[in-house]
């Protein structure tokens, strides 16, 4: 962790990002220091972790996240993520991580071809990642979900590998909202420092605005990881 006592968590804004403000607020609510990062800059400003927030980067005019993955900020992010920097991709940020090949697979149109917005139950499948240590194995949490292209897909070989390696971090519970293969809501890389998921934990960090405070654990988890790193 950098000096000052608080974990400095960068939140990247791409053209079309919607939820960077909520992500920064979640970091602050967890006790960290949010740092705004602009997609055109290559300097990560010495942050200890990075959040890629939800939205519609570049209007999703190609595949979701396909243009954002070429933004200048992604060059140092990719390098540092591969070296162990904790990175969380939420919704559109998950799409960016897949397009950047930090995570396998892709996100496609919901199988029912409609936008879905609801409070979604998730089952925690893995608790030793940088972003999930404050949860219990098998715990069910509820956070908002809002997407039109949230169906996680991959070939059977990739899906089997994710299962065998324990890299499925979250599954949908109480019904699959978008046709994601094997009810997968979130996955991680082999090292567990990079996590992507479609639902929005940053919208569930305080009782005034969220259906629960179940999302706060993402941000407290990474801050605790930084203290012990």
């Amino acid at each position: 962790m950098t000096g000052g006592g608080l974990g400095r968590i960068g939140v990247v804004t791409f053209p079309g990002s919607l939820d960077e403000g909520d992500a920064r607020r979640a970091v602050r609510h967890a006790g960290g220091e949010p740092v705004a990062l602009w997609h055109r800059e290559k300097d990560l400003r010495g942050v200890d972790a990075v959040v890629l927030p939800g939205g519609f980067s570049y209007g999703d005019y190609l595949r979701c996240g396909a243009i954002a993955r070429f933004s200048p900020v992604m060059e140092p992010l990719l390098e540092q993520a591969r070296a162990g920097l904790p990175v969380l991709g939420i919704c559109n940020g998950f799409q960016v991580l897949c397009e950047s090949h930090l995570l396998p697979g892709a996100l496609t149109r919901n199988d029912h071809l409609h936008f879905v917005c609801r409070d979604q139950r998730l089952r925690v499948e893995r608790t030793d990642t940088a972003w999930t240590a404050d949860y219990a194995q098998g715990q069910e949490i509820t956070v908002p979900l809002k997407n039109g292209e949230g169906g996680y897909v991959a070939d059977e070989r990739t899906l089997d590998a994710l299962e065998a390696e324990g890299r499925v971090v979250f599954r949908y519970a109480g019904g699959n909202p978008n046709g994601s293969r094997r009810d997968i809501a979130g996955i991680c890389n082999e090292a567990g420092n990079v996590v992507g998921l479609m639902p929005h934990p940053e919208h569930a960090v305080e009782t005034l605005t969220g259906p629960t405070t179940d999302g706060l654990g993402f941000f407290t988890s990474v801050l605790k990881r930084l203290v012990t790193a």
Side-chain angles (χ1 to χ4, degrees), residues 7-11 27 32-36 47-51 131 222-223 226:
R8 301 178 71 248
I9 313 299
V11 180
V27 169
E33 178 188 347
V35 178
V47 298
D48 303 301
V50 171
V51 176
W131 300 92
V222 74
L223 290 172
L226 296 175

Side-chain angles (χ1 to χ4, degrees), residues 131-216:
W131 300 92
T132 58
D134 273 357
Y135 297 105
Q137 188 80 24
Q139 180 180 350
E140 287 197 2
I141 64 175
T142 299
V143 300
L145 172 78
K146 49 178 187 176
N147 64 73
E149 301 192 358
Y152 180 75
V153 298
D155 59 69
E156 290 299 318
R157 181 176 180 180
T158 298
L159 292 169
D160 289 343
L162 289 172
E163 301 276 14
E165 296 167 11
R167 291 170 56 191
V168 177
V169 182
F170 297 96
R171 292 188 204 271
Y172 293 113
N176 188 324
N178 48 34
S180 291
R181 298 296 305 276
R182 304 191 189 183
D183 297 330
I184 292 174
I187 60 174
C188 66
N189 66 344
E190 292 180 1
N193 62 301
V194 178
V195 171
L197 78 162
M198 187 50 53
H200 287 262
E202 79 281 15
H203 295 332
V205 298
E206 51 189 338
T207 55
L208 178 64
T209 57
T212 67
T213 59
D214 290 347
L216 190 61

Side-chain angles (χ1 to χ4, degrees), residues 14-161:
F14 298 101
S17 293
L18 296 177
D19 299 314
E20 66 270 45
D22 286 45
R24 291 195 298 267
R25 181 177 178 82
V27 169
R28 189 178 298 110
H29 200 63
E33 178 188 347
V35 178
L37 300 176
W38 180 237
H39 77 111
R40 292 294 301 172
E41 299 176 359
K42 288 187 176 183
D43 184 5
L44 294 184
R45 300 174 58 188
V47 298
D48 303 301
V50 171
V51 176
L52 301 182
F56 301 90
S57 58
Y58 293 92
D60 290 343
Y61 288 129
L62 190 58
R63 297 184 310 276
C64 299
I67 302 177
R69 67 85 74 229
F70 292 106
S71 289
V73 74
M74 294 301 295
E75 182 178 331
L77 188 146
L78 289 171
E79 179 181 352
Q80 293 188 38
R82 291 172 179 137
L85 180 75
V87 178
L88 176 66
I90 304 169
C91 195
N92 191 224
F94 185 15
Q95 296 161 339
V96 175
L97 291 177
C98 289
E99 291 289 344
S100 302
H101 305 300
L102 281 175
L103 295 175
L107 285 305
T108 62
R109 288 292 303 274
N110 296 346
D111 60 350
H112 46 72
L113 303 182
H114 294 286
F115 185 86
V116 59
C117 182
R118 74 188 199 190
D119 296 335
Q120 177 66 49
R121 287 166 50 206
L122 304 175
R123 185 172 64 253
V124 181
E125 299 284 347
R126 180 167 172 177
T127 61
D128 63 344
T129 78
W131 300 92
T132 58
D134 273 357
Y135 297 105
Q137 188 80 24
Q139 180 180 350
E140 287 197 2
I141 64 175
T142 299
V143 300
L145 172 78
K146 49 178 187 176
N147 64 73
E149 301 192 358
Y152 180 75
V153 298
D155 59 69
E156 290 299 318
R157 181 176 180 180
T158 298
L159 292 169
D160 289 343

